[in-house]
């Protein structure tokens, strides 16, 4: 599969927080609030975070973010491929925290120092970023009580819907075919998208495809046509239109800005 050839790296962003609809991915995500407040939803739980709080979202866990308070809300958002987690990789893939939130009082100055150092690492310094990640995990994970990822989660329709699309978005999917695979009617599935994901099926599917395309644009030398077809779009015209609608720039402009 072509995506296996992309460069794996730690993604660190210090950005304004806002509403992010439910989604999941195969990376470990760490969020540290630097200004204001943030609500992080993981599964059926909603964790209210304030400045100085940190949360760990393990791979393949459905999560979303909301900001309820007025004023500025900013946070560090760190995504780490499991393969860069070293000795912690198997634990991160098989388990999840009972309580993923680490309150401000439990975030030591040493941990804050590691976060500051990580924020200063250049985009291309993969080795140094990985080293700081290892230190961060060594300092934080022992304080989290871990459980095996609940098998029961696979029976939740929201989880199964997100997981199925995450695994198959490069195929020719439609609402009817996905509903059939999940064993529900297309009307039930449509309500999942409108009620939980706050968008229709096509928009959610295109979002998964566009996220994949962006990773390829940033980290590979594949042509835009190759990326378009590999992402699951039927034509480059459809791809370009969807891309520009979401990112306000063409795929070519995006690549130039991010490589």
């Amino acid at each position: 599969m072509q995506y296996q050839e992309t460069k794996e790296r730690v993604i660190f962003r210090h950005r304004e927080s806002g509403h992010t609809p439910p989604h999941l991915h195969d990376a470990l995500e760490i969020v540290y609030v630097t200004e204001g407040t943030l609500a992080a939803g993981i599964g059926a739980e909603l964790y209210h975070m304030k400045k100085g709080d940190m949360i760990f979202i393990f791979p393949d866990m459905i999560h979303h973010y909301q900001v309820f308070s007025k004023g500025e809300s900013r946070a560090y958002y760190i995504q780490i491929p499991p393969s860069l987690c070293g000795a912690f990789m198997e634990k991160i893939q098989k388990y999840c925290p009972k309580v993923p939130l680490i309150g401000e009082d439990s975030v030591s100055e040493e941990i804050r120092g590691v976060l500051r150092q990580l924020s200063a690492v250049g985009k291309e310094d993969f080795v140094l970023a990985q080293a700081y990640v290892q230190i961060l995990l060594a300092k934080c994970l022992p304080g989290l009580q871990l459980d095996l990822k609940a098998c029961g989660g696979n029976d939740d329709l929201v989880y199964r819907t997100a997981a199925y699309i995450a695994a198959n978005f490069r195929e020719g999917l439609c609402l009817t075919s996905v509903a059939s695979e999940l064993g529900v009617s297309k009307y039930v599935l449509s309500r999942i998208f409108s009620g939980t994901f706050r968008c229709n099926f096509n928009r959610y599917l295109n979002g998964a495809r566009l996220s994949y395309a962006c990773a390829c644009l940033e980290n590979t030398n594949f042509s835009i046509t190759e990326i378009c077809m590999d992402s699951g779009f039927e034509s480059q015209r459809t791809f370009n239109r969807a891309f520009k609608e979401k990112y306000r720039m063409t795929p070519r402009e995006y690549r130039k800005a991010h490589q």
Side-chain angles (χ1 to χ4, degrees):
M1 182 169 77
Q2 289 181 332
Y3 190 61
Q4 294 175 343
E5 298 179 11
T6 60
K7 296 177 181 178
E8 291 186 305
R9 60 187 178 90
V10 176
I11 298 174
F12 187 106
R13 296 187 179 96
H14 188 200
R15 62 175 176 83
E16 184 175 356
S17 299
H19 173 68
T20 304
H23 63 286
L24 77 169
H25 43 65
D26 62 358
L28 167 68
E29 187 161 68
I30 303 172
V31 180
Y32 175 80
V33 178
T34 59
E35 296 291 339
T37 62
L38 175 67
I42 305 176
E45 300 294 331
L46 188 65
Y47 299 91
H48 294 275
M49 304 173 66
K50 63 183 186 303
K51 182 178 179 180
D53 290 349
M54 176 187 291
I55 199 164
F56 283 74
I57 301 163
F58 278 36
D60 302 318
M61 303 298 294
I62 293 178
H63 58 286
H64 67 278
Y65 302 112
Q66 297 182 55
V67 175
F68 296 111
S69 59
K70 295 181 179 179
E72 187 174 35
S73 177
R74 294 179 62 83
Y76 293 152
Y77 291 85
I78 310 165
Q79 286 192 352
I80 309 158
S83 60
L84 298 187
C85 294
F88 302 100
M89 182 175 74
E90 185 175 359
K91 184 174 291 187
I92 285 168
Q93 289 178 317
K94 288 186 176 181
Y95 296 85
C96 62
K98 274 190 173 181
V99 180
L101 180 67
I102 301 178
E104 177 192 9
D105 294 342
S106 299
V107 179
S108 68
E109 183 55 40
E110 186 176 10
I111 292 172
R112 293 190 190 94
V114 175
L115 287 167
R116 288 193 293 269
Q117 293 292 335
L118 187 56
S119 72
V121 173
K123 184 178 179 181
E124 301 302 322
D125 202 338
F126 307 117
V127 175
L128 187 56
Q130 185 177 2
Y132 282 125
V133 163
Q134 298 284 326
I135 296 171
L136 189 61
L137 295 178
K139 296 295 180 183
C140 295
L141 288 192
L144 297 176
Q145 186 177 353
L146 303 180
D147 275 343
L148 281 169
K149 287 181 179 175
C151 297
N154 293 334
D155 294 328
D156 180 83
L157 182 56
V158 174
Y159 178 90
R160 291 193 295 123
T161 299
Y164 184 84
I165 292 178
N168 298 282
F169 64 85
R170 296 162 70 193
E171 308 299 328
L173 303 182
C174 68
L175 180 66
T176 301
S177 67
V178 174
S180 177
E181 287 293 332
L182 297 175
V184 298
S185 77
K186 65 179 182 180
Y187 305 106
V188 169
L189 190 60
S190 180
R191 287 196 292 272
I192 290 291
F193 285 99
S194 61
T196 301
F197 298 123
R198 303 297 176 87
C199 64
N200 63 31
F201 171 81
N202 286 332
R203 186 171 181 179
Y204 185 91
L205 177 61
N206 279 347
R209 290 170 171 171
L210 289 171
S211 295
Y212 175 86
C214 284
C216 292
L217 288 167
E218 290 182 35
N219 300 304
T220 78
N221 293 319
F222 301 140
S223 72
I224 291 175
T225 300
E226 288 176 319
I227 292 172
C228 159
M229 303 310 292
D230 193 43
S231 299
F233 288 94
E234 294 180 356
S235 70
Q236 191 160 346
R237 182 179 179 182
T238 303
F239 172 57
N240 289 339
R241 183 173 63 247
F243 196 98
K244 195 166 185 179
E245 180 181 337
K246 181 170 183 177
Y247 299 107
R248 306 301 181 194
M249 64 178 73
T250 66
R252 194 174 303 280
E253 290 167 340
Y254 183 95
R255 169 170 268 174
K256 186 176 180 180
H258 289 83
Q259 277 196 333

